[in-house]
Amino acid sequence: MEEKLIKYNEIKAEIDKLKWLIAVKEREEVQAGGPFLEITGIKAQGYKSNALENQIVKNVDEIRLYQKKIEELEAEIRMIDSMINILEGTEKQVVVLRYIKQLKWEGIAATINRDMSRARAICDRAITKLDEIYNK
């Protein structure tokens, strides 16, 4: 579980990056590249696709892949958040400060009014609890 907590902010950044890529693809102008663009949408027998259609299909496919990856990453974030919410009190606070807010042990210890070794022990205990629940 600790590996997932360590990657929490990376996952959030990846979601934002994928959303940005989708926005870029949606705004990308696809230019007609030849005389084969049929306004009516009716294609003659033996019709072959053109570069414009191929580019549109490629963009749509990429957007779908990005959206699927976003859904997977958001599900992972929800799972991590729900696991953190199982913890109570100081354990939850220490985990959030360490892995979500990425504070150093000195800052965590000062925030919870304990020394650094105690803060680490609280965090270790919380991770052990999360591992037990996650691995059931």
Side-chain angles (χ1 to χ4, degrees):
M1 187 66 201
E2 186 172 22
E3 297 85 22
K4 292 192 179 299
L5 288 167
I6 289 169
K7 292 183 179 181
Y8 185 89
N9 289 314
E10 291 175 26
I11 295 169
K12 289 260 190 172
E14 181 69 15
I15 291 169
D16 289 341
K17 177 184 169 191
L18 290 169
K19 287 179 179 179
W20 172 76
L21 288 171
I22 288 172
V24 168
K25 286 290 178 188
E26 288 175 341
R27 285 169 184 72
E28 185 176 289
E29 285 189 31
V30 179
Q31 300 294 327
F36 301 107
L37 185 61
E38 178 60 44
I39 295 172
T40 63
I42 301 171
K43 299 173 178 92
Q45 185 175 5
Y47 175 82
K48 295 182 180 176
S49 64
N50 64 32
L52 174 64
E53 287 177 335
N54 291 339
Q55 185 61 40
I56 291 170
V57 168
K58 181 181 175 212
N59 284 356
V60 169
D61 287 345
E62 287 178 7
I63 288 171
R64 285 186 184 143
L65 286 173
Y66 295 154
Q67 288 170 335
K68 182 179 179 189
K69 184 67 177 170
I70 288 170
E71 288 172 12
E72 291 170 3
L73 293 171
E74 286 177 339
E76 187 171 2
I77 288 293
R78 284 191 303 275
M79 185 273 300
I80 294 169
D81 287 341
S82 68
M83 295 292 285
I84 291 171
N85 287 329
I86 290 171
L87 299 172
E88 295 179 0
T90 307
E91 287 178 346
K92 181 177 180 178
Q93 186 179 13
V94 168
V95 168
V96 169
L97 292 172
R98 179 68 180 162
Y99 297 104
I100 309 304
K101 301 199 185 249
Q102 297 182 329
L103 290 183
K104 295 184 179 187
W105 287 113
E106 296 85 8
I108 295 169
T111 302
I112 65 169
N113 294 321
R114 307 276 199 306
D115 60 40
M116 286 190 341
S117 62
R118 185 68 188 132
R120 285 187 178 130
I122 292 169
C123 187
D124 290 343
R125 187 176 65 224
I127 295 297
T128 301
K129 283 182 182 179
L130 292 176
D131 281 338
E132 289 173 358
I133 295 166
Y134 182 73
N135 293 322
K136 279 187 178 181

PDB file of all heavy atoms in Angstrom, residues 53-65:
ATOM      1  N   GLU A  53     -10.041  11.576 -43.111  1.00  0.00           N
ATOM      2  CA  GLU A  53     -10.797  10.610 -42.318  1.00  0.00           C
ATOM      3  C   GLU A  53      -9.867   9.805 -41.403  1.00  0.00           C
ATOM      4  O   GLU A  53     -10.193   9.550 -40.248  1.00  0.00           O
ATOM      5  CB  GLU A  53     -11.570   9.655 -43.230  1.00  0.00           C
ATOM      6  CG  GLU A  53     -12.748  10.299 -43.898  1.00  0.00           C
ATOM      7  CD  GLU A  53     -13.444   9.347 -44.850  1.00  0.00           C
ATOM      8  OE1 GLU A  53     -12.801   8.400 -45.343  1.00  0.00           O
ATOM      9  OE2 GLU A  53     -14.635   9.548 -45.092  1.00  0.00           O
ATOM     10  N   ASN A  54      -8.733   9.414 -41.936  1.00  0.00           N
ATOM     11  CA  ASN A  54      -7.774   8.644 -41.139  1.00  0.00           C
ATOM     12  C   ASN A  54      -7.300   9.438 -39.930  1.00  0.00           C
ATOM     13  O   ASN A  54      -7.170   8.895 -38.830  1.00  0.00           O
ATOM     14  CB  ASN A  54      -6.585   8.208 -41.991  1.00  0.00           C
ATOM     15  CG  ASN A  54      -6.955   7.173 -43.024  1.00  0.00           C
ATOM     16  OD1 ASN A  54      -7.972   6.494 -42.896  1.00  0.00           O
ATOM     17  ND2 ASN A  54      -6.146   7.065 -44.066  1.00  0.00           N
ATOM     18  N   GLN A  55      -7.038  10.728 -40.118  1.00  0.00           N
ATOM     19  CA  GLN A  55      -6.574  11.564 -39.004  1.00  0.00           C
ATOM     20  C   GLN A  55      -7.674  11.739 -37.962  1.00  0.00           C
ATOM     21  O   GLN A  55      -7.416  11.693 -36.759  1.00  0.00           O
ATOM     22  CB  GLN A  55      -6.108  12.932 -39.522  1.00  0.00           C
ATOM     23  CG  GLN A  55      -5.498  13.813 -38.452  1.00  0.00           C
ATOM     24  CD  GLN A  55      -4.258  13.207 -37.826  1.00  0.00           C
ATOM     25  OE1 GLN A  55      -3.432  12.621 -38.512  1.00  0.00           O
ATOM     26  NE2 GLN A  55      -4.127  13.320 -36.522  1.00  0.00           N
ATOM     27  N   ILE A  56      -8.905  11.918 -38.399  1.00  0.00           N
ATOM     28  CA  ILE A  56     -10.026  12.072 -37.468  1.00  0.00           C
ATOM     29  C   ILE A  56     -10.195  10.797 -36.648  1.00  0.00           C
ATOM     30  O   ILE A  56     -10.345  10.836 -35.423  1.00  0.00           O
ATOM     31  CB  ILE A  56     -11.325  12.431 -38.223  1.00  0.00           C
ATOM     32  CG1 ILE A  56     -11.216  13.845 -38.806  1.00  0.00           C
ATOM     33  CG2 ILE A  56     -12.540  12.309 -37.315  1.00  0.00           C
ATOM     34  CD1 ILE A  56     -12.328  14.208 -39.771  1.00  0.00           C
ATOM     35  N   VAL A  57     -10.165   9.653 -37.315  1.00  0.00           N
ATOM     36  CA  VAL A  57     -10.307   8.367 -36.624  1.00  0.00           C
ATOM     37  C   VAL A  57      -9.161   8.176 -35.627  1.00  0.00           C
ATOM     38  O   VAL A  57      -9.378   7.739 -34.496  1.00  0.00           O
ATOM     39  CB  VAL A  57     -10.361   7.205 -37.642  1.00  0.00           C
ATOM     40  CG1 VAL A  57     -10.213   5.863 -36.948  1.00  0.00           C
ATOM     41  CG2 VAL A  57     -11.651   7.261 -38.434  1.00  0.00           C
ATOM     42  N   LYS A  58      -7.960   8.528 -36.036  1.00  0.00           N
ATOM     43  CA  LYS A  58      -6.792   8.401 -35.148  1.00  0.00           C
ATOM     44  C   LYS A  58      -6.970   9.270 -33.903  1.00  0.00           C
ATOM     45  O   LYS A  58      -6.716   8.828 -32.781  1.00  0.00           O
ATOM     46  CB  LYS A  58      -5.521   8.793 -35.899  1.00  0.00           C
ATOM     47  CG  LYS A  58      -4.269   8.667 -35.074  1.00  0.00           C
ATOM     48  CD  LYS A  58      -3.045   9.106 -35.871  1.00  0.00           C
ATOM     49  CE  LYS A  58      -1.847   9.081 -34.948  1.00  0.00           C
ATOM     50  NZ  LYS A  58      -0.865  10.079 -35.272  1.00  0.00           N
ATOM     51  N   ASN A  59      -7.413  10.507 -34.095  1.00  0.00           N
ATOM     52  CA  ASN A  59      -7.618  11.406 -32.962  1.00  0.00           C
ATOM     53  C   ASN A  59      -8.690  10.874 -32.009  1.00  0.00           C
ATOM     54  O   ASN A  59      -8.522  10.912 -30.795  1.00  0.00           O
ATOM     55  CB  ASN A  59      -7.992  12.811 -33.442  1.00  0.00           C
ATOM     56  CG  ASN A  59      -6.807  13.578 -33.983  1.00  0.00           C
ATOM     57  OD1 ASN A  59      -5.665  13.110 -33.945  1.00  0.00           O
ATOM     58  ND2 ASN A  59      -7.064  14.756 -34.517  1.00  0.00           N
ATOM     59  N   VAL A  60      -9.786  10.382 -32.570  1.00  0.00           N
ATOM     60  CA  VAL A  60     -10.873   9.847 -31.743  1.00  0.00           C
ATOM     61  C   VAL A  60     -10.384   8.631 -30.956  1.00  0.00           C
ATOM     62  O   VAL A  60     -10.681   8.483 -29.766  1.00  0.00           O
ATOM     63  CB  VAL A  60     -12.105   9.503 -32.612  1.00  0.00           C
ATOM     64  CG1 VAL A  60     -13.125   8.702 -31.831  1.00  0.00           C
ATOM     65  CG2 VAL A  60     -12.736  10.782 -33.158  1.00  0.00           C
ATOM     66  N   ASP A  61      -9.626   7.760 -31.609  1.00  0.00           N
ATOM     67  CA  ASP A  61      -9.081   6.581 -30.929  1.00  0.00           C
ATOM     68  C   ASP A  61      -8.142   6.979 -29.787  1.00  0.00           C
ATOM     69  O   ASP A  61      -8.200   6.408 -28.698  1.00  0.00           O
ATOM     70  CB  ASP A  61      -8.344   5.667 -31.907  1.00  0.00           C
ATOM     71  CG  ASP A  61      -9.285   4.906 -32.832  1.00  0.00           C
ATOM     72  OD1 ASP A  61     -10.502   4.858 -32.542  1.00  0.00           O
ATOM     73  OD2 ASP A  61      -8.799   4.363 -33.843  1.00  0.00           O
ATOM     74  N   GLU A  62      -7.290   7.964 -30.038  1.00  0.00           N
ATOM     75  CA  GLU A  62      -6.373   8.426 -28.992  1.00  0.00           C
ATOM     76  C   GLU A  62      -7.142   9.023 -27.817  1.00  0.00           C
ATOM     77  O   GLU A  62      -6.809   8.773 -26.659  1.00  0.00           O
ATOM     78  CB  GLU A  62      -5.375   9.435 -29.565  1.00  0.00           C
ATOM     79  CG  GLU A  62      -4.319   8.798 -30.444  1.00  0.00           C
ATOM     80  CD  GLU A  62      -3.351   9.808 -31.048  1.00  0.00           C
ATOM     81  OE1 GLU A  62      -3.407  11.005 -30.685  1.00  0.00           O
ATOM     82  OE2 GLU A  62      -2.539   9.389 -31.881  1.00  0.00           O
ATOM     83  N   ILE A  63      -8.161   9.811 -28.106  1.00  0.00           N
ATOM     84  CA  ILE A  63      -8.972  10.409 -27.039  1.00  0.00           C
ATOM     85  C   ILE A  63      -9.637   9.318 -26.205  1.00  0.00           C
ATOM     86  O   ILE A  63      -9.650   9.389 -24.979  1.00  0.00           O
ATOM     87  CB  ILE A  63     -10.010  11.394 -27.624  1.00  0.00           C
ATOM     88  CG1 ILE A  63      -9.302  12.658 -28.127  1.00  0.00           C
ATOM     89  CG2 ILE A  63     -11.086  11.736 -26.600  1.00  0.00           C
ATOM     90  CD1 ILE A  63     -10.183  13.603 -28.920  1.00  0.00           C
ATOM     91  N   ARG A  64     -10.161   8.296 -26.862  1.00  0.00           N
ATOM     92  CA  ARG A  64     -10.784   7.188 -26.122  1.00  0.00           C
ATOM     93  C   ARG A  64      -9.776   6.477 -25.229  1.00  0.00           C
ATOM     94  O   ARG A  64     -10.103   6.112 -24.096  1.00  0.00           O
ATOM     95  CB  ARG A  64     -11.418   6.198 -27.087  1.00  0.00           C
ATOM     96  CG  ARG A  64     -12.699   6.688 -27.679  1.00  0.00           C
ATOM     97  CD  ARG A  64     -13.361   5.626 -28.521  1.00  0.00           C
ATOM     98  NE  ARG A  64     -14.545   6.166 -29.153  1.00  0.00           N
ATOM     99  CZ  ARG A  64     -14.935   5.850 -30.374  1.00  0.00           C
ATOM    100  NH1 ARG A  64     -14.250   4.992 -31.096  1.00  0.00           N
ATOM    101  NH2 ARG A  64     -16.028   6.382 -30.869  1.00  0.00           N
ATOM    102  N   LEU A  65      -8.566   6.252 -25.731  1.00  0.00           N
ATOM    103  CA  LEU A  65      -7.529   5.625 -24.915  1.00  0.00           C
ATOM    104  C   LEU A  65      -7.186   6.488 -23.701  1.00  0.00           C
ATOM    105  O   LEU A  65      -7.031   5.984 -22.584  1.00  0.00           O
ATOM    106  CB  LEU A  65      -6.265   5.372 -25.744  1.00  0.00           C
ATOM    107  CG  LEU A  65      -6.326   4.228 -26.738  1.00  0.00           C
ATOM    108  CD1 LEU A  65      -5.075   4.204 -27.616  1.00  0.00           C
ATOM    109  CD2 LEU A  65      -6.486   2.896 -26.024  1.00  0.00           C
TER     110      LEU A  65
END
